[in-house]
Each structure stands twice: as structure tokens, then as C-alpha cells.
Amino acid sequence: MSALLLGPDGPRVGVAEGSERPGEATIALRLGGVCATDLELCKGYMGFTGVLGHEFVGEVVDHPESAWIGRRVVGDINASCGECPTCLAGRPTHCPSRTVLGILGRDGAFQHHFQLPAGNLHVVPAGVSDEAAVFVEPLAAALEILDQVHVRPTDRVVVLGLGRLGQLCARVLALTGAQVSGVGRGGRGVDRLPHGISGVSLEQADALAGADLVVDCTGHKDGLALATRLLRPRGTLVLKTTVHDTGAVPVTPWVIDELRIVGSRCGPFAPALRLLASGLVDPTPLIDGERSLSDGVAALEEAARTGVIKVVLRP
Amino acid sequence: MSALLLGPDGPRVGVAEGSERPGEATIALRLGGVCATDLELCKGYMGFTGVLGHEFVGEVVDHPESAWIGRRVVGDINASCGECPTCLAGRPTHCPSRTVLGILGRDGAFQHHFQLPAGNLHVVPAGVSDEAAVFVEPLAAALEILDQVHVRPTDRVVVLGLGRLGQLCARVLALTGAQVSGVGRGGRGVDRLPHGISGVSLEQADALAGADLVVDCTGHKDGLALATRLLRPRGTLVLKTTVHDTGAVPVTPWVIDELRIVGSRCGPFAPALRLLASGLVDPTPLIDGERSLSDGVAALEEAARTGVIKVVLRP
């Protein structure tokens, strides 16, 4: 019963030692997805140690309500207290005492069986494949943009960075009818964009100046300056990736041009499942590799390689 | 006919050499106000040279419509083309070919007679004194916050920096019924807050954590980090002051806490005049000194002194 563990010496396959959480649901992994955050955690982000993994589709093997057992599910990764002022104000993903699956104070999904609060689970409709459902968590994160910002069909939108999250953000933003362009460093990821979304390399990005909305998915400190350059006055910059070390940030142009900057993290699962069920978003062509859980370290290495978008793990 | 000029060697009193702008209104200065931006311009901000001054109340001495002559006026400082896509999109203060009174490509108000496009002028109601009307421009800039952000009566609001603009922002934000607190470095400016707005020193600021809205008027690069610390998840940070040199900016907390950062510059004059006419805002106790135009360099020095809020200039 192997697990992909992150210890002080880096990632390894081993046996998880986490204790059982009474009252929670237990899920058997069907398919997991490697995310850029997993690669950041391996570099020390959040100081996390334990079982990695927060993108998954699985089968319920234990649940307080027996009707759930055997159902195919995905799950919100933030486990909140439900009782504090932040939770009661309708912001449970920001609960100050939350744990986060495979990221903060809670073992993740890259093991044969793992746990989440029963209330975090969402049933996957029969018509949605495991290969699509494994994208629900990052697809929900992309939808968070539309929950935070009013994107209009007449807007010009630029997505910076065409990796795992950028590809999903571009697809979700294109649903609004807006004119969406993607920018990939060295043109990377441009060939993975679906019909109707144009892509350019970083060197050509300045031709996209005057955008109403720029989404920074670069994971690179230079993203902020480029985004600032591409926005029209009073435009909106959505920050999707956490960057450890920012250089000096162009705050004066933000004031003069009255830009809006919006930090954006986890999003709503139900609409993500609807978009997969309807086929309006099909992320499955983004899968570049599949590994077994016992081959998890190699999966992380593969996911870190230039040009690779999604690597999935099977138990 | 002296003017307060900024040249390559710094500010001096002399004779303005700007050429006449045909078709514009000509205004005789009645009272001018020294702003933090004037002090920044003297340090090289915007690379401006020419006559300083953008806060004024004056009397119209020439105007394309003769009915305006003799009227007491204030004026929008952004002179826009009115024809470009940015102007036609309803964002004239962001016109890319704009000039800005005493800031960008246009001589300012610190002289006996100066010019502005006729459409920029607003008549000052009879009940509003010159000493109040000279605050219209910065009061409008404070009101810009309410034009950009929905501030609720149940919000907790913190204003960082209790200088010229911070004092006005605190007064305007308190009109919403929100609980407004001000933070002054070393407690400066706390004693200048009106009844109903509490103030603390920088050292006590962390007690204000959990704020819904923080307005950074510090003009200091440390303001961003403090503002980030004081905001609740999904809170809003309004950037009111331009800072030349920012250090590293705390972008990762912005993403994790899903903060909104809003750059904010010039605002609407008509509501500023209404608030002065109704007496809902009385900025006149913020005037600490009055000088004549021929004593303009000393006025700049006085305005730069710690604890001094507003210095006004009379022709």
C-alpha cells in the first residue's frame, strides 16, 4: 500500500503513517493529478511534509451515510471548521484553522486510501470519465476567476503562462465569449490551446497591450511586470500563481492606471463538474503521461519537464 | 507676476514662460494647496518642469462662454482629448494623450493666471469658502475610493498614513457608517482626526487586523506589507499613494488570502463640492499655514515638515 510522501529529504514512495480521522469519509484513489503546487511543495513551499496530492477522483469506501459508499467522488481540498467567524461569513476556504489535502496539516490523495470530511465530497456524474474528473480541482480554481471578476463577452483577455493552470484558465475564460489569447514562454503550450484561443510567445506578447483582463499563471516573478504592461487603464490583473520571491513590483503604474489586482485560489466544484458533464470543457487532451503510484517520484520528475502539462497517477 | 516654478535645479519663484493655449479658459488664482505630489515632483517624480500646482480655487477671467467670466471655480486637473478610444470608453482621466495641471505637460496653478479647458471647470457654491474649496481636488481623489469599491456600513476600515490625503480619505470613508481607524507613524495625525474616527500609532496597528478594507496613504514602501497583514481574507487594499521604490511585495499572501488590490488616483469633483456645501466634510482645520506665492519655496519646505498637513498659497 504505497504512498507518495514528501519528507525533509524530498519526495519518496513509502508507507503513510498518518492517524485515522474519526467521522470523516475514506476514499480509495482511482486517479490522481500532479499539480505545479506539488512541485512547489517539493521545493519547500508551505513547509509541508506527509502524503502529497490534492487532485483526485476516487471511490468512497467509508462514510457516515452508507448511501455514499461505492460512489465515485471528487472533493474540496479545504477542510474547514465550519464554526469560526470566517466560515460563518461564507468564506470556508479561508478558515484560519483549515487543513488542506496534501498541502497543509493533512495527508494527501497520492495513496491507496485517504480521508476528507464527508461534506467535502461531490459525486461525479456517470458520463464524466476519471481522466476528466481528475481535473475538477484545477478547473474549479480556474472558475474562481469568474466568481471574483465580471468578465464580459466584449473583453480582451490575456492568459500569461500556458502550463497546467493557464490551459484551464484560457478554456474557462473563452466560455464567456471574450477574445482570449495565451502567452507561452518560448511559445510553449500554444499548440495545446483549443480552436478559438490564439497563442503567442513571450516575445510577441506586447502586441496584446490594451487588454481588459490579464491572468498571471506564469509562476514567475516577471509575470507581474508583463501583466502590468499589457493592461488598459482600470484593467484587472488576476494573480493565479504563488511566487516565492517577487522582485520590486510596479506599484506606481497600478495607481496611475488605477488597475485592480485580484488574488485567486480555490474555486467552486459544482460548476466545474457541470462543465465537464456538458462537454463544454474537455481537459483530457492535456494528459501527457500516466504512472503508477509506486512510480510516483518519476511522475513528479516527468511533470517538472518543460512542455509536459498533466501527469496522472493510478494506484 | 510671480510663479512657483520647478526647474532642473529644484523649485524657485520666477516668471512663467509657457505659451497661451487658445480656446481654453483662463483662471486667476485665489488660493492654492500644496500636495504630497508637489513634493514628489520636486524630487524628480514624472520628470516634470514648469509651474507647479494642481489644487486651486480661482476666478474665471477668460472663457469661451462669457457667462462664466467672474465665477469662482475649481477644475479637473486632467485635460483629455475627448476623442480617443479611452476617452470614448468613459475613462477621460486615463486619456493617453492627456496633460495634467502642474504634473504632466501643462503649467500648474501656482501663478497669478493659468489655463484649463473650459469643460474642466466647476462652479464653487457661494456657501463654500476658498479655504474649503481648495481641498476639492484631494477630496475628489478620496471619493474615488467609493467610486471604485463598495464600502459597506458594517465594514471595518483602516487608513494607513494620516497626512494630507489620509485625513481626507478617513473623513470620506466615515460617511459610509463604517468603523474607520487611522494609523499614523509615531502617532502623527491622530490628533487631527475628527470625532468618531479612532487613531493609533504604527506600533499598535496590528490590533486592527481583520479589516475589510485598508487604504494605503503612507507614501512609504512598508505600507504594502502592513496593509496585507491587517486585511481579512478577500479583503480590499486601496493604493492611494505612488511609491517610487517598492521592495519585494507580498504576492503569495495576496493569492492565498484572495485579496483585492485597487490602484486609485483622481476622482469626481461634483460630489466633493456637494460634501463641502453640505458641511458633511470640513477640511479647513487641516490648514496649518498660509504663504504668499512669492514665498512659494518656503511653502514647499513648510509642507515637507513632519506633522504639517496643509499649506496654502495666496497670490
Side-chain angles (χ1 to χ4, degrees):
Chain A
M1 300 294 265
S2 49
L4 181 54
L5 293 151
L6 180 62
D9 303 325
R12 67 182 169 85
V13 171
V15 177
E17 291 180 0
S19 56
E20 177 141 341
R21 293 174 181 266
E24 293 198 349
T26 301
I27 301 125
L29 181 67
R30 289 174 61 94
L31 200 64
V34 178
C35 164
T37 301
D38 297 317
L39 304 178
E40 289 294 309
L41 293 171
C42 290
K43 295 179 198 162
Y45 175 58
M46 303 288 290
F48 177 78
T49 58
V51 180
L52 287 167
H54 58 276
E55 298 181 1
F56 75 89
V57 52
E59 186 180 314
V60 179
V61 295
D62 193 22
H63 194 288
E65 297 173 41
S66 59
W68 278 80
I69 293 171
R71 303 193 85 165
R72 200 162 56 109
V73 295
V74 291
D76 276 303
I77 69 175
N78 296 280
S80 310
C81 76
E83 295 170 359
C84 69
T86 301
C87 284
L88 296 176
R91 296 184 283 269
T93 58
H94 293 280
C95 173
S97 55
R98 70 186 180 275
T99 58
V100 186
L101 186 71
I103 295 176
L104 177 68
R106 173 181 284 269
D107 277 341
F110 294 163
Q111 52 182 330
H112 290 269
H113 293 91
F114 59 94
Q115 291 190 290
L116 266 180
N120 282 37
L121 302 185
H122 300 255
V123 172
V124 178
V128 177
S129 68
D130 284 354
E131 287 74 14
V134 77
F135 284 93
V136 165
E137 195 278 334
L139 187 59
L143 281 166
E144 179 75 351
I145 300 171
L146 299 185
D147 231 15
Q148 297 178 291
V149 178
H150 180 193
V151 181
R152 293 172 171 83
T154 49
D155 279 347
R156 278 217 295 121
V157 176
V158 178
V159 176
L160 300 181
L162 295 176
R164 296 159 187 83
L165 191 55
Q167 292 283 344
L168 296 175
C169 289
R171 283 160 174 76
V172 161
L173 289 161
L175 297 174
T176 64
Q179 183 186 335
V180 179
S181 306
V183 177
R185 190 175 287 269
R188 284 196 289 279
V190 168
D191 59 335
R192 309 293 288 272
L193 289 168
H195 189 70
I197 304 177
S198 62
V200 300
S201 71
L202 200 56
E203 295 69 34
Q204 302 163 306
D206 280 308
L208 301 171
D212 300 286
L213 174 69
V214 176
V215 180
D216 181 8
C217 296
T218 58
H220 193 280
K221 68 185 170 69
D222 295 348
L224 277 176
L226 175 59
T228 300
R229 237 173 32 238
L230 296 186
L231 280 167
R232 67 157 169 85
R234 293 198 186 143
T236 300
L237 164 53
V238 173
L239 301 178
K240 255 304 174 193
T241 50
T242 53
V243 176
H244 278 240
D245 161 41
T246 67
V249 162
V251 173
T252 297
W254 292 357
V255 175
I256 292 177
D257 288 342
E258 296 192 312
L259 301 185
R260 281 171 191 262
I261 296 92
V262 181
S264 180
R265 189 168 45 95
C266 296
F269 273 45
L273 282 164
R274 285 194 288 273
L275 291 177
L276 294 175
S278 65
L280 282 168
V281 175
D282 177 14
T284 57
L286 297 173
I287 297 179
D288 285 326
E290 181 181 313
R291 302 263 179 170
S292 79
L293 201 48
S294 58
D295 208 16
V297 177
L300 292 172
E301 288 165 0
E302 186 179 356
R305 277 216 306 274
T306 299
V308 171
I309 296 191
K310 186 58 75 180
V311 175
V312 294
L313 284 169
R314 231 176 255 283
Chain B
M1 300 295 265
S2 50
L4 182 53
L5 292 151
L6 180 61
D9 302 324
R12 66 183 170 83
V13 171
V15 178
E17 292 179 0
S19 54
E20 177 142 340
R21 294 175 181 265
E24 293 197 348
T26 301
I27 302 125
L29 181 68
R30 290 173 61 93
L31 201 63
V34 177
C35 165
T37 302
D38 297 317
L39 304 177
E40 289 293 310
L41 293 171
C42 290
K43 296 179 196 161
Y45 175 58
M46 303 288 291
F48 177 78
T49 58
V51 180
L52 286 167
H54 57 277
E55 298 181 3
F56 75 88
V57 51
E59 185 180 314
V60 179
V61 294
D62 192 22
H63 194 288
E65 297 173 41
S66 58
W68 279 79
I69 293 172
R71 305 195 83 164
R72 201 163 55 109
V73 294
V74 291
D76 277 303
I77 69 176
N78 296 280
S80 309
C81 77
E83 295 170 359
C84 70
T86 301
C87 284
L88 296 176
R91 296 185 283 270
T93 58
H94 293 279
C95 172
S97 54
R98 71 185 179 274
T99 58
V100 186
L101 187 71
I103 295 177
L104 177 68
R106 172 181 284 270
D107 276 340
F110 294 163
Q111 53 183 329
H112 290 268
H113 292 93
F114 57 96
Q115 291 190 288
L116 266 181
N120 282 37
L121 302 184
H122 301 255
V123 172
V124 178
V128 177
S129 68
D130 283 355
E131 288 73 15
V134 76
F135 284 94
V136 166
E137 195 279 333
L139 187 59
L143 282 166
E144 178 75 352
I145 300 171
L146 299 184
D147 229 15
Q148 296 179 291
V149 177
H150 180 191
V151 181
R152 294 172 171 82
T154 51
D155 279 347
R156 279 218 295 119
V157 176
V158 178
V159 176
L160 300 181
L162 296 175
R164 296 159 188 84
L165 191 55
Q167 292 283 345
L168 296 175
C169 289
R171 283 159 174 77
V172 161
L173 288 161
L175 297 174
T176 64
Q179 183 186 334
V180 178
S181 306
V183 177
R185 189 174 290 266
R188 283 197 289 279
V190 167
D191 60 334
R192 310 293 289 270
L193 290 168
H195 189 70
I197 304 177
S198 63
V200 301
S201 71
L202 201 57
E203 295 68 36
Q204 302 163 306
D206 281 308
L208 300 172
D212 300 287
L213 174 69
V214 176
V215 179
D216 182 7
C217 298
T218 57
H220 193 280
K221 68 186 169 69
D222 295 348
L224 276 176
L226 175 58
T228 300
R229 244 182 15 248
L230 296 185
L231 279 166
R232 67 158 169 84
R234 293 198 186 142
T236 300
L237 164 53
V238 173
L239 302 178
K240 255 305 174 193
T241 48
T242 54
V243 176
H244 277 239
D245 162 41
T246 67
V249 162
V251 173
T252 296
W254 292 357
V255 174
I256 291 177
D257 288 341
E258 295 192 312
L259 301 185
R260 281 170 192 263
I261 296 91
V262 180
S264 181
R265 190 168 44 96
C266 296
F269 272 45
L273 282 164
R274 284 194 290 272
L275 290 176
L276 293 175
S278 65
L280 283 167
V281 175
D282 177 14
T284 57
L286 298 173
I287 296 178
D288 285 327
E290 181 182 312
R291 302 261 179 172
S292 78
L293 201 49
S294 58
D295 208 17
V297 176
L300 292 171
E301 288 165 3
E302 185 179 357
R305 277 216 305 275
T306 299
V308 172
I309 296 192
K310 185 60 73 181
V311 175
V312 293
L313 284 170
R314 232 177 255 281

